[in-house]
Amino acid sequence: MAAVAAEDTELDLDALRKEAETLRSRLEEERRKSNDVQLRDVASKLELVPPLQMKVRRVLKGHQGKVLDMDWSTDKRRLVSSSQDGKVIVWDAFANKQERVLSMPTTWIMSCAFSPSGDIIACGGLDNKCTVFPIDKDLENPERKRRTIAMHTSFMSCCRFVKSGYQILTSSGDCTCALWDVDSSQLMQSFHGHISDVLCLDISPVHCRTFLSGSSDKTASLWDIRTGRCVHSFDGHDGDINGVRFFPTGESFVTASDDGTCRLYDLRADREVALYTKDCMIFAATCVDISKSGRLMFAGYNDYTVNVWDVLKCVRVGRIYAHDNKVTCLQRSPDGTAVCSGSWDTTLKLWA
Amino acid sequence: MQQCEADCHPDLQADCSVCALSSTAAKYRHSNNMSNSIAQAHKTVDQLRFEAQIERIRVSKAAADLQAYCEQHARDDPLLVGVPASENPFKEKKSCIVL
């Protein structure tokens, strides 16, 4: 009986695999049909962007280990950074001052986030958790009031607050993302589908219903926050996707990958629409963000530079020798006036 | 063994906690895959069916919309067009020098 059951299972599995193959070919065909023109050809008649005049305006020194992540506050002035050294620092970027230094019991804090209200910091990493600290002005010892919000079964690669600030999204090396309630620490939704570590996430700037994740399975996925369903899945990259960011309309997004390229995907066309690379570029792209109008894309690389790309013309318009070691994180300020980059060289720098 | 995210020396991988974590995660995934292959195959087919019925627009339309958005908002993009030093909190304010 067992042998027959095993054979049935084999046949079922075979039938399912064949159906998957047919569906995949159909999807490829549909996506090919919609690819009637190249973005860079459509944009060829556009004027070139004005010459970049960005310089380093602030150097934030204070971490004693590699800077792994940073997040701006909605007040456009403060930002938080986390490091391999186990510290999370809240900076006043205008004044170049450290407002708070929070110590975590573990090293390798791979991600940190500022709540929209500006009075809570979330962080975590190799400890597999997401921890929150209140940081209101008058609080003497924020470390005493820290709480664990999220638990994964592998490292937490990224954490971000949703717009309301009541929930946090996390991504993890356990191949899942999860949504947690900040007050109760309850798991509200989990997102399964990736087959390898999820390395980054970005929440839609337009509404709170969807978010993107990038994974070392070389795909980026769009998720419905409420149902937990994967709405779209995009491949194309030849390496881990380290960074993902929505275009301001929420209808496209850019990715940064270990394969040295950045790509632009469109959700309505359901495919990759642009590739940002040069022959000489072999170093991994680790982080990416877009300027306020969507025209410029900033990407940080393992060759210590930040490259600036014209999103529409698909050409590089600037190369910043930003740091003395790998660039690990990069984020444009909320009002679009500056870009902050963080690096293994232990510093953060502001460019404007 | 794949490159360690902590960039540890190959000789020290046995002691590196980052390496231990990724190999545990890999073993977890492998054993799960073996026992859930039918369930996984069902999920894959369901997901592909769902994605196949999505309505797509052409790249020409997507490109046109992207371009329109960029042009519409170009003036409000400080990194693209630049703002005078007096308005950008990160730029140094220069004071006048009387020669």
Side-chain angles (χ1 to χ4, degrees), chain B residues 30-85:
Chain B
H30 182 68
S31 72
N32 263 359
N33 282 344
M34 291 293 280
S35 55
N36 294 339
S37 5
I38 282 272
Q40 188 60 44
H42 269 296
K43 272 191 202 157
T44 307
V45 170
D46 279 342
Q47 183 61 29
L48 286 167
R49 277 188 197 142
F50 177 76
E51 289 184 28
Q53 48 89 39
I54 293 173
E55 269 192 46
R56 284 166 196 83
I57 64 168
R58 289 176 174 265
V59 173
S60 46
K61 169 93 174 77
D65 289 350
L66 281 165
Q67 190 170 317
Y69 187 90
C70 290
E71 290 185 320
Q72 216 178 349
H73 293 85
R75 258 172 324 168
D76 303 323
D77 188 344
L79 292 167
L80 184 64
V81 299
V83 291

Side-chain angles (χ1 to χ4, degrees), chain A residues 46-54 291 293 295-296 298 308-310 313 316-318, chain B residues 70 74-75 77-83:
Chain A
L46 273 180
E47 273 178 34
L48 293 171
V49 303
L52 278 184
Q53 290 180 5
M54 289 174 75
S291 73
S293 67
R295 186 68 192 269
L296 297 175
F298 299 87
V308 189
W309 299 86
D310 180 329
K313 285 183 168 294
R316 186 171 64 183
V317 295
Chain B
C70 290
R75 258 172 324 168
D77 188 344
L79 292 167
L80 184 64
V81 299
V83 291

Side-chain angles (χ1 to χ4, degrees), chain A residues 287-321:
Chain A
C287 44
V288 65
D289 205 345
I290 301 194
S291 73
K292 214 167 153 201
S293 67
R295 186 68 192 269
L296 297 175
M297 177 176 75
F298 299 87
Y301 295 77
N302 274 354
D303 67 355
Y304 314 175
T305 66
V306 169
N307 285 315
V308 189
W309 299 86
D310 180 329
V311 169
L312 300 177
K313 285 183 168 294
C314 306
V315 292
R316 186 171 64 183
V317 295
R319 184 183 171 86
I320 306 176
Y321 292 91

